[in-house]
Amino acid sequence: EAGVAQSPRYKIIEKRQSVAFWCNPISGHATLYWYQQILGQGPKLLIQFQNNGVVDDSQLPKDRFSAERLKGVDSTLKIQPAKLEDSAVYLCASSLDRTYEQYFGPGTRLTVT
Amino acid sequence: GENVEQHPSTLSVQEGDSAVIKCTYSDSASNYFPWYKQELGKRPQLIIDIRSNVGEKKDQRIAVTLNKTAKHFSLHITETQPEDSAVYFCAASKGNAGNMLTFGGGTRLMVKP
């Protein structure tokens, strides 16, 4: 089966600019996650969707980050405005449902200058 | 919230030796503990997981043990090979497989030929 797809793979922006990332989960997977992985650290969960509803977004910096999964399939994560500390790899993952293992996408490496 | 600590941060072994990575967690309600392998520039990949109703699980050269009383779990790799070189992350969650993973900080394993 096809894996989790993400685009773009790399993005370089200046601070205070906006950026958006896209994720297409594995077909049929109801649960979708966005993680932030800062260099040298483990992934940190930002937001979890179950179909098109938010399950948990307690660690999402809502003043600048937003995410949506309007039709319960693809998802976008947006940062507006970006800060230097947002430089990281943004990983999308999906699972069949909340009780099943998570599969990760290749990630988007964001550099904020 | 959950806190997962992982040790050591780096581990160097000779090919053929065993490697052990240890993690502790803080939330006694956590019941699912996966281990992910991440090669440089690639996505995290699930290599083995364990649920709180078992104490040990093996898959060929990889095993995971869980001590619920002490709230720690370990990854054991036997007969290490150069291709085992990667960063390994442990994680914990309360909702079986899919619910809000909290990751440890990672262990960089280097297997010297």
Side-chain angles (χ1 to χ4, degrees):
Chain A
E1 64 181 5
V4 177
Q6 290 187 246
S7 68
R9 293 295 312 279
Y10 306 92
K11 190 74 177 178
I12 301 174
I13 62 172
E14 295 182 350
K15 58 184 179 182
R16 292 188 290 273
Q17 287 187 323
S18 301
V19 64
F21 312 127
W22 173 82
C23 173
N24 180 237
I26 294 171
S27 178
H29 280 198
T31 314
L32 185 147
Y33 315 77
W34 283 102
Y35 290 87
Q36 179 192 58
Q37 186 175 25
I38 294 172
L39 186 65
Q41 299 181 17
K44 184 183 85 171
L45 181 71
L46 294 176
I47 189 167
Q48 177 183 351
F49 291 94
Q50 181 70 15
N51 297 308
N52 61 349
V54 175
V55 174
D56 187 277
D57 62 357
S58 57
Q59 298 193 94
L60 187 73
K62 298 181 187 63
D63 58 333
R64 299 184 299 107
F65 286 64
S66 64
E68 60 183 15
R69 193 185 184 199
L70 293 176
K71 297 184 179 179
V73 181
D74 295 4
S75 177
T76 56
L77 176 69
K78 297 179 181 178
I79 307 175
Q80 180 181 6
K83 293 185 176 181
L84 295 177
E85 57 261 37
D86 298 332
S87 294
V89 175
Y90 290 85
L91 293 162
C92 179
S94 71
S95 60
L96 189 62
D97 204 337
R98 291 167 66 174
T99 60
Y100 291 84
E101 64 191 49
Q102 298 181 32
Y103 295 88
F104 283 83
T108 296
R109 181 176 299 276
L110 173 68
T111 302
V112 182
T113 62
Chain B
E2 174 67 278
N3 182 51
V4 178
E5 295 192 354
Q6 184 171 346
H7 300 279
S9 57
T10 60
L11 179 60
S12 180
V13 300
Q14 288 294 133
E15 182 178 359
D17 288 350
S18 295
V20 180
I21 303 170
K22 299 180 180 180
C23 289
T24 60
Y25 60 99
S26 61
D27 191 338
S28 56
S30 290
N31 58 11
Y32 175 68
F33 308 93
W35 285 89
Y36 284 83
K37 176 183 180 182
Q38 188 173 31
E39 297 178 39
L40 189 62
K42 296 191 176 180
R43 72 190 75 190
Q45 291 195 304
L46 180 71
I47 56 171
I48 196 168
D49 57 13
I50 192 168
R51 301 173 196 273
S52 60
N53 58 345
V54 298
E56 184 176 4
K57 184 176 179 180
K58 289 183 179 180
D59 183 2
Q60 299 182 335
R61 297 186 297 109
I62 295 173
V64 57
T65 57
L66 171 66
N67 183 327
K68 288 189 293 182
T69 302
K71 291 189 283 188
H72 68 71
F73 56 112
S74 300
L75 178 71
H76 304 254
I77 306 174
T78 59
E79 301 173 14
T80 54
Q81 301 168 4
E83 51 265 40
D84 294 330
S85 296
V87 178
Y88 291 80
F89 292 98
C90 63
S93 78
K94 290 186 282 189
N96 295 306
N99 211 2
M100 293 185 289
L101 292 175
T102 300
F103 282 84
T107 296
R108 180 173 298 280
L109 175 64
M110 295 171 283
V111 180
K112 299 178 180 178

